[in-house]
Amino acid sequence: MSADSTFPAAPPRIRVVLVGTQHPGNIGSTARAMKTMGLSRLALVAPERYPHPDAEALAAGADDVLAAAAMHGDLATAIADCQLVYGCTARSRRIALDEYTPRIAATRLLAASREGGEVALVFGRERTGLTNEELQLCHAAVHIPANPEYSSLNLAQAVQVLAYELRMAMLEDAAADVVEGHREPPASHAQLESFFSQLAETLDAIDFHKGRTPDAAMHKLRRIFLRAALDEREVRILRGVLADAQRMARLAADRGKA
Amino acid sequence: MSADSTFPAAPPRIRVVLVGTQHPGNIGSTARAMKTMGLSRLALVAPERYPHPDAEALAAGADDVLAAAAMHGDLATAIADCQLVYGCTARSRRIALDEYTPRIAATRLLAASREGGEVALVFGRERTGLTNEELQLCHAAVHIPANPEYSSLNLAQAVQVLAYELRMAMLEDAAADVVEGHREPPASHAQLESFFSQLAETLDAIDFHKGRTPDAAMHKLRRIFLRAALDEREVRILRGVLADAQRMARLAADRGKA
C-alpha cells in the first residue's frame, strides 16, 4: 500500500499550541514538523521572541503554517474553544493527570477530532515545560518514552514525534474508511472475554489441545487477539468462524455415534 | 506501566549512519535525538564540515555520542561489518528495494540486532538523500509516511522518528521478555500468505461463506491478522487451530457419506 497516497483530504482539526517558546528557531522547526505530517493549525502563547528571522529560516517551506499561526497571551485563551486538550510533559509532576504514550494519545485525539471537536496538543517551554497551572487546563498528559538518563527531547523533535503518531493514526483511519465506509467502535472488555470463552470452547470441540494443558496456547492466542485491537465487527466475524467450526465438530461427533 | 523504567539495560547494537551531512548542526541534533531514545552508536561518512562548533552546540548533552562517533570515507566501509542495513529514503526510486514504514523497520532491525548481528540505519544528505549506489548497499528502504505535498523532514527529525520507533519496539520487547522469556522473529510475508491460504481453505471446509462472496470476509480477516503483527510461533499456533478445524470438517464429511 502506498501510504502517502491514502493521505486524507481534509487535515484534522488538531491544533498544536506552543507556550512560552524561548528559541524562535524552534517555532519554525515546529511548523515544518507539523506540515510534513499534514497538520496546519498552530497557536503561539506568549513566545519570547516572535516574529523572528530564525523562525522563517527553519520553517523551510512551511511558512504558510507560520503565517496562519494564532497568537495568544495565555494558554486558557488559546484553548478556550477546545473539547480535548493534552499537554506534553516530562514525568513526575504533582498534578494527578492521566498520562498517555504518543501512540495512544494520537488515537484518542484523532477520535475526538473526528467527532467534530477542536482538539489541542500543548507543548511547554524548552527548559521548564508547562507550569502546574497550565497542566491543570489539560484533560490528560502525554509523555514520550525516553532514556531515563537523558530524556530531554528538543521541543520541535517532540512535536515531530507526536505529529508522526497523529499521521500514523490518520492513515489507519483512512484505510479503515476506504475499506468499510465507516469506523466500528473498539470491542469492549466484555465482548472480548465472550469471544475468548467461545474460542476456548471451540479449541476443546476440535480437540486442539490433545491432552496438553490448554493454558499456554490460550495465553498466546489471547495475546494475538488483544494485540490486534479488534473492533466490534471483527469480533462478530471471528465468532462466526468459531461457530461454524463448533458446528462441524458437533456434526462429526453426532455422525460418529450414528 | 512506567515505560521509562523498563528501559532495557543494554543498548541495542544499532548504528546510525549519516552520509555526507551538509549542516554540522544536524549531526549534533542527531546525537541528541539518538541519546534520548537510548541509542549511542553513530557513524559519519564524509560529513561536509566536521568537527564544527554547531555540532557540539546542538548535541546539548549528547556530546558523548559525538565523541564516540566513527568516521569513514564511504558508506561501504561504514557498514562493512553489518548483517542488516536499512536506508532511509524518499519515495520513487529506480532501485527495486523492499520498503518498510518506520514501525515495521524498527521491529525487523531490533530482531536482527537481538540475534547478535550489527545492524545499521543509514540517512543521506539533507538535499539529495542517498545515491542509487549507496541505496544498493542496503537490504531494504525505510520511508516515513508524510504529506505528499510537503514530505521533506529535517534530517535530525527523521532520525528522531526512527529512534523513537526503535525505542517503542525495544519497550515491547522488554515487556515480552518479562512475560515469555524470549522473542520469536516476525513471520515473513511468505509465511503469512501460507497462513491466509490455509485460512481460506478452512473457511470453505466449515462452510463459513454459505454462498456469499468470500472476498469481503477474507479481506477483513486478513486485516485482523496483519494488524496483529504475528511472529513465527503465533502463525504456527494459528495454523494448528486451522488444521484441527479442517480435520473436523473432513470427519463430518466422511461420516456423512458413510
Side-chain angles (χ1 to χ4, degrees):
Chain A
M1 179 178 93
S2 169
D4 286 357
S5 66
T6 60
F7 192 80
R13 304 172 73 82
I14 296 180
R15 181 181 315 173
V16 170
V17 183
L18 300 188
V19 179
T21 310
Q22 288 154 316
H23 301 288
N26 283 333
I27 296 177
S29 299
T30 288
R32 180 178 181 179
M34 287 173 60
K35 190 169 180 176
T36 58
M37 296 294 141
L39 301 176
S40 60
R41 297 166 178 240
L42 176 62
L44 305 174
V45 173
E48 287 197 8
R49 286 171 293 157
Y50 189 81
H52 190 283
D54 287 358
E56 273 99 65
L58 283 161
D63 37 305
D64 53 336
V65 176
L66 281 188
M71 303 279 299
H72 300 281
D74 59 58
L75 180 58
T77 315
I79 58 173
D81 61 336
C82 293
Q83 269 83 63
L84 189 64
V85 180
Y86 284 179
C88 293
T89 178
R91 198 61 58 77
S92 54
R93 288 277 183 151
R94 265 171 268 157
I95 303 291
L97 267 186
D98 286 343
E99 193 179 281
Y100 300 114
T101 59
R103 194 156 301 172
I104 302 285
T107 307
R108 298 174 68 95
L109 285 166
L110 203 65
S113 132
R114 280 174 68 100
E115 285 162 23
E118 292 284 337
V119 310
L121 196 42
V122 184
F123 296 82
R125 301 152 192 80
E126 287 91 330
R127 284 183 44 248
T128 54
L130 296 168
T131 65
N132 284 345
E133 291 70 30
E134 287 161 348
L135 269 176
Q136 276 178 320
L137 297 176
C138 301
H139 297 94
V142 185
H143 174 69
I144 302 174
N147 180 352
E149 292 177 22
Y150 187 75
S151 57
S152 172
L153 272 78
N154 163 270
L155 169 60
Q157 300 278 42
V159 175
Q160 181 78 78
V161 168
L162 264 300
Y164 161 78
E165 283 288 16
L166 279 165
R167 176 147 178 69
M168 293 295 282
M170 279 187 263
L171 288 170
E172 191 176 307
D173 249 24
D177 282 347
V178 165
V179 171
E180 301 188 5
H182 65 277
R183 188 82 160 149
E184 289 279 331
S188 68
H189 176 77
Q191 288 166 336
L192 286 170
E193 288 306 316
S194 292
F195 164 68
F196 289 132
S197 289
Q198 190 179 2
L199 176 59
E201 289 166 10
T202 306
L203 294 183
D204 282 339
I206 64 177
D207 195 27
F208 175 75
H209 301 296
K210 303 177 184 54
R212 294 183 303 254
T213 335
D215 296 357
M218 267 311 296
H219 177 81
K220 290 183 178 66
L221 289 165
R222 281 184 72 98
R223 287 200 63 202
I224 289 169
F225 291 109
L226 287 172
R227 194 187 318 137
L230 303 169
D231 62 41
E232 289 186 351
R233 184 196 294 200
E234 289 172 336
V235 170
R236 285 198 297 271
I237 289 170
L238 289 170
R239 294 196 72 169
V241 177
L242 293 178
D244 285 333
Q246 287 173 299
R247 184 171 52 78
M248 276 296 157
R250 277 195 305 275
L251 213 53
D254 291 348
R255 289 177 175 171
K257 299 192 191 96
Chain B
M1 181 177 93
S2 170
D4 286 358
S5 65
T6 57
F7 191 81
R13 305 172 72 83
I14 296 180
R15 184 180 313 171
V16 170
V17 184
L18 300 187
V19 180
T21 310
Q22 290 154 312
H23 301 288
N26 283 333
I27 297 177
S29 299
T30 289
R32 179 178 181 178
M34 287 172 61
K35 191 169 179 175
T36 58
M37 296 294 141
L39 302 176
S40 59
R41 297 165 178 241
L42 174 63
L44 306 174
V45 174
E48 289 197 6
R49 286 171 294 158
Y50 190 81
H52 191 284
D54 286 359
E56 273 98 67
L58 284 161
D63 39 305
D64 54 337
V65 175
L66 282 188
M71 304 280 297
H72 300 281
D74 57 59
L75 179 57
T77 315
I79 57 174
D81 61 337
C82 293
Q83 270 85 62
L84 188 64
V85 181
Y86 284 0
C88 293
T89 179
R91 199 59 60 78
S92 51
R93 287 280 183 149
R94 265 168 270 156
I95 302 288
L97 269 186
D98 285 341
E99 192 180 280
Y100 300 113
T101 59
R103 194 155 302 173
I104 302 288
T107 306
R108 298 174 68 95
L109 286 166
L110 203 65
S113 135
R114 281 176 68 101
E115 285 162 23
E118 292 283 337
V119 309
L121 196 43
V122 184
F123 297 82
R125 302 153 192 79
E126 287 90 329
R127 284 182 43 249
T128 53
L130 296 169
T131 64
N132 285 346
E133 291 69 32
E134 288 161 348
L135 268 176
Q136 278 178 319
L137 296 177
C138 301
H139 297 96
V142 185
H143 174 69
I144 302 174
N147 179 356
E149 293 177 21
Y150 187 77
S151 57
S152 169
L153 273 78
N154 163 270
L155 169 60
Q157 299 277 44
V159 175
Q160 182 77 79
V161 168
L162 264 300
Y164 160 77
E165 284 287 18
L166 280 164
R167 176 149 178 69
M168 293 295 283
M170 278 187 264
L171 288 170
E172 190 176 308
D173 249 25
D177 280 349
V178 167
V179 172
E180 295 190 5
H182 66 277
R183 186 82 161 154
E184 289 278 331
S188 68
H189 176 78
Q191 287 166 338
L192 286 170
E193 288 307 315
S194 293
F195 164 68
F196 288 131
S197 288
Q198 189 178 4
L199 176 59
E201 289 166 10
T202 306
L203 295 183
D204 282 340
I206 65 175
D207 195 28
F208 174 74
H209 301 298
K210 302 176 184 56
R212 296 184 301 255
T213 335
D215 297 358
M218 266 313 295
H219 180 85
K220 289 183 178 66
L221 289 165
R222 281 184 70 100
R223 287 199 63 205
I224 290 170
F225 291 110
L226 288 172
R227 193 188 319 138
L230 302 169
D231 63 41
E232 290 186 348
R233 183 198 292 200
E234 290 171 335
V235 170
R236 284 198 299 269
I237 289 172
L238 289 169
R239 295 195 72 170
V241 177
L242 294 178
D244 283 335
Q246 288 174 299
R247 184 171 52 79
M248 277 297 157
R250 275 196 304 276
L251 215 52
D254 292 349
R255 289 176 176 172
K257 300 190 192 96

